[in-house]
Amino acid sequence: AEISAMRNYRQCRAAALTLDRQARAEGSGARYLAAARMLAGCEASVGPEGAHLAQDERIAAYALIVQDYFKGGDVAKARTSLTTFKQNYKGADLYYADGASFIETMEILLGLRDRMAVGEFSIANVSGELKTELRRVRYWTRN
């Protein structure tokens, strides 16, 4: 049952990742949303028999759900998905190529952290580009 559950999950995930690549190539918000929904369905289909299997793959896929909802413009669903991610994978985080934390980056982008707090950007493990952009926004909202 576990092998079958993981085989089905991986096939579903492969189809969703194809949709995600198409969304990225086209810059299509609707495709991002479709990919996020498809990945969420893949995760839901794993069921209890496969809940403990392939944690690294599933963590990365769930992170992509959050990002795709955000890129597709459904911020509320991205927030809900990030909360679910943190509950399901307690203590787990992913790191972007530049070393930035997935969770901290998404919390700032989704407005779950105070973007205007002094020093917030210095201690947050987010990319330098994001810090620069948020500082620019803060500057222009104050001046």
Side-chain angles (χ1 to χ4, degrees), residues 83-133:
T83 300
T84 303
F85 174 90
K86 292 190 303 187
Q87 289 170 349
N88 290 349
Y89 305 109
K90 289 181 181 14
D93 197 357
L94 297 170
Y95 296 93
Y96 294 109
D98 64 357
S101 162
F102 162 75
I103 291 176
E104 289 186 23
T105 299
M106 293 312 297
E107 285 176 342
I108 288 175
L109 289 174
L110 295 171
L112 299 174
R113 287 187 174 201
D114 182 9
R115 294 180 188 177
M116 301 303 159
V118 176
E120 175 82 30
F121 307 136
S122 298
I123 61 171
N125 184 11
V126 298
S127 73
E129 291 177 29
L130 179 59
K131 289 178 186 180
T132 301
E133 183 63 20

Side-chain angles (χ1 to χ4, degrees), residues 42-86:
C42 298
E43 179 68 23
S45 71
V46 171
E49 60 274 352
H52 63 282
L53 299 174
Q55 289 289 307
D56 291 342
E57 287 178 35
R58 293 177 52 225
I59 288 170
Y62 214 96
L64 190 57
I65 292 169
V66 177
Q67 283 186 176
D68 282 355
Y69 275 128
F70 179 71
K71 289 177 180 180
D74 193 342
V75 176
K77 193 69 172 166
R79 284 181 182 146
T80 303
S81 297
L82 181 61
T83 300
T84 303
F85 174 90
K86 292 190 303 187

Side-chain angles (χ1 to χ4, degrees), residues 32-47:
Y32 277 120
L33 292 174
R37 283 191 294 271
M38 184 180 275
L39 280 168
C42 298
E43 179 68 23
S45 71
V46 171

